[in-house]
Amino acid sequence: MRAYYFDNIPGDQRLPHGDPSKSIPLEQLQKLGVNHWYIPVEGHEGPIDAVAKERGYKNRDMITVSREGLGELYEDKMKTFFHEHMHEDEEIRYVLSGSGFFDIRETPSEAWIRVAVAPGDLLVVPAGIYHRFTLDEADDIKVMRLFQDEPKWVPHNRGVDTDANPHRAEYLRAISLSA
């Protein structure tokens, strides 16, 4: 995992869009409630089970995001994933193969932090934080999704209603206490 500021220059969202050599430390992401572990893919089952038990993740599934895998749905899915949104549950992703980018909205600066993920990265994005996802130029990622309850993925696109969402308010309260 490497994190750096997104440059906001228009163009292909799958490009790095920033200077990956000017990395943001994990501690800065943790202040935003974002957690990361590196767990090698080979032999990952035990360590993933331990993290799942510790954090109360009861369910999991696998998803492959690629042009080939999504077929005609690819363009629509990529637009949906890249639209700024939040969830009312944590978003937990463990990368098994491929790579991509999670963009995290930094509060209070409103800057985007681009988080490049690759095999072995386990990323936890807290409920209530604005974020988005895109593939990189390789156009392929396979991830294990972990869930605290039944598997679901419900994006709440950023807007007036979402800004007033109780999960968003709780997130803002939580990061203000950790600052």
Side-chain angles (χ1 to χ4, degrees):
M1 189 255 343
R2 63 187 190 285
Y4 53 91
Y5 284 105
F6 185 82
D7 63 17
N8 288 314
I9 295 172
D12 187 343
Q13 69 197 36
R14 300 169 310 138
L15 296 174
H17 279 282
D19 186 350
S21 70
K22 295 181 180 176
S23 64
I24 292 171
L26 181 57
E27 295 78 25
Q28 188 170 340
L29 290 174
Q30 289 171 330
K31 287 179 183 176
L32 297 172
V34 176
N35 288 300
H36 172 269
W37 292 268
Y38 177 77
I39 300 171
V41 173
E42 188 172 326
H44 71 273
E45 295 85 359
I48 291 290
D49 289 346
V51 171
K53 182 177 180 181
E54 174 187 320
R55 296 184 65 90
Y57 304 147
K58 298 176 190 97
N59 292 296
R60 61 185 79 175
D61 68 8
M62 305 283 186
I63 184 171
T64 301
V65 179
S66 66
R67 286 185 187 275
E68 182 180 295
L70 294 174
E72 293 177 12
L73 299 174
Y74 175 83
E75 294 296 334
D76 286 340
K77 286 289 186 191
M78 293 312 299
K79 286 177 188 170
T80 299
F81 294 158
F82 199 64
H83 195 91
E84 183 175 6
H85 63 276
M86 57 149 262
H87 302 285
E88 294 181 346
D89 300 300
E90 287 184 334
E91 183 166 321
I92 308 100
R93 302 294 184 263
Y94 175 64
V95 182
L96 293 160
S97 65
S99 50
F101 300 112
F102 282 88
D103 293 340
I104 307 297
R105 183 65 83 178
E106 185 179 53
T107 300
S109 75
E110 290 289 309
W112 281 114
I113 296 175
R114 177 147 274 196
V115 180
V117 294
D121 287 324
L122 174 62
L123 190 68
V124 178
V125 178
I129 192 173
Y130 288 123
H131 66 282
R132 61 190 183 190
F133 171 78
T134 190
L135 293 171
D136 60 14
E137 291 177 282
D139 265 338
D140 184 58
I141 194 168
K142 180 178 181 180
V143 298
M144 177 188 298
R145 303 185 304 176
L146 294 102
F147 303 92
Q148 291 177 332
D149 293 307
E150 291 302 310
K152 65 179 179 177
W153 187 86
V154 179
H156 298 274
N157 291 337
R158 188 169 188 175
V160 174
D161 290 342
T162 312
D163 285 343
N165 182 294
H167 292 86
R168 175 72 180 161
E170 175 58 26
Y171 167 73
L172 293 173
R173 186 191 67 71
I175 65 167
S176 71
L177 293 176
S178 68

